[in-house]
Amino acid sequence: MADPLIIKICGIKTTEILETAIEAGADMVGFVHFTRSPRHASVDAIADLISQARGRVETCVLLVNPDNSSVAEFAALGPDWIQLHGPESAHRVEAIRAEAGVEIMKALPIGSAEDVGHVADFVDIADRILLDAKPPKGADRPGGLGDTFDWALLKALDPSIPFMLSGGLTPETVAEAIKTVRPFGVDVSSGVESAPGVKDKALIEAFIRNARAAV
Ligand SMILES: O=C(O)c1ccccc1NCC(=O)[C@H](O)[C@H](O)COP(=O)(O)O
């Protein structure tokens, strides 16, 4: 029996969209704290969203290269996960994991075979790995860009390594992604928005429906 697919809807900022994602059957919801992101949510807003979601769906706070005080501040809100989406080294991820007392998902940028080669460095360090499209030079943020990457690159990955597939997925492409890549889970942000940072109820429902149907 295959493990059930984990579906994460990322970049949720409002209680209404949180309810939509939960009712549509998401397994995990992501809250972004990165001021240059159109999905940025304040500490207080994320605290409220975590309280609303607790016990109903796994919650994930998304940070970029956080310092220790920021890790402690968000870990105190009681999320199920902290997702590290910056250039954090394996050593830094290990330190954050020891400090936070929260499960750590490490996002890794994939744009080349060399990038795939680095994934193994984090497997025993993070609790979960998320593989995202490598941002283009000059991008104003390290994720949430709606860009895909060449999934064929993942053929070189050790098949025993479970990962969340991310990067430019949409309701139209998620089924093909699942059937092609066979990830542990899928993650989406831009692909379920009507405008940057504006989540769309129907797109969220379609993404989750199509992902479930593909397994
Ligand atoms: O979503 C953002 O704006 C964001 C900002 C800074 C760092 C990470 C960010 N998102 C991380 C995610 O987990 C996204 O879901 C992932 O990058 C996929 O995004 P998309 O390609 O838009 O589906």
Side-chain angles (χ1 to χ4, degrees), residues 80-98:
D80 297 294
W81 295 84
I82 286 176
Q83 178 177 318
L84 299 172
H85 215 107
E88 301 88 1
S89 68
H91 179 69
R92 179 62 183 145
V93 172
E94 198 166 31
I96 290 173
R97 188 185 188 197

Side-chain angles (χ1 to χ4, degrees), residues 3 9 26 59 61 71 76 96-97 102 106 115 126 150 157 173 197:
D3 289 328
I9 305 295
T59 56
V61 174
V71 170
I96 290 173
R97 188 185 188 197
V102 175
K106 176 64 185 116
D115 295 327
D150 179 3
L157 190 62
T173 63

Side-chain angles (χ1 to χ4, degrees), residues 43-193:
V43 178
D44 289 347
I46 291 175
D48 290 345
L49 290 164
I50 289 174
S51 298
Q52 180 186 338
R54 185 164 288 115
R56 304 168 66 199
V57 67
E58 284 204 308
T59 56
C60 179
V61 174
L62 192 137
L63 302 174
V64 177
N65 224 17
D67 60 22
N68 290 343
S69 62
S70 183
V71 170
E73 181 177 34
F74 283 97
L77 302 182
D80 297 294
W81 295 84
I82 286 176
Q83 178 177 318
L84 299 172
H85 215 107
E88 301 88 1
S89 68
H91 179 69
R92 179 62 183 145
V93 172
E94 198 166 31
I96 290 173
R97 188 185 188 197
E99 193 65 30
V102 175
E103 293 201 275
I104 300 298
M105 178 146 64
K106 176 64 185 116
L108 296 171
I110 304 296
S112 67
E114 183 184 2
D115 295 327
V116 175
H118 293 312
V119 173
D121 299 343
F122 291 85
V123 169
D124 296 329
I125 302 285
D127 295 289
R128 190 171 284 173
I129 299 287
L130 181 143
L131 302 181
D132 195 2
K134 190 169 199 171
K137 286 205 183 324
D140 68 351
R141 57 183 188 269
L145 294 164
D147 294 336
T148 56
F149 66 90
D150 179 3
W151 300 332
L153 289 169
L154 302 181
K155 288 177 182 167
L157 190 62
D158 177 343
S160 70
I161 298 176
F163 59 87
M164 299 279 289
L165 180 66
S166 183
L169 298 180
T170 71
E172 291 73 30
T173 63
V174 66
E176 179 200 359
I178 291 167
K179 290 171 181 170
T180 307
V181 179
R182 292 285 169 211
F184 175 83
V186 289
D187 164 72
V188 66
S189 195
S190 307
V192 291
E193 294 179 344

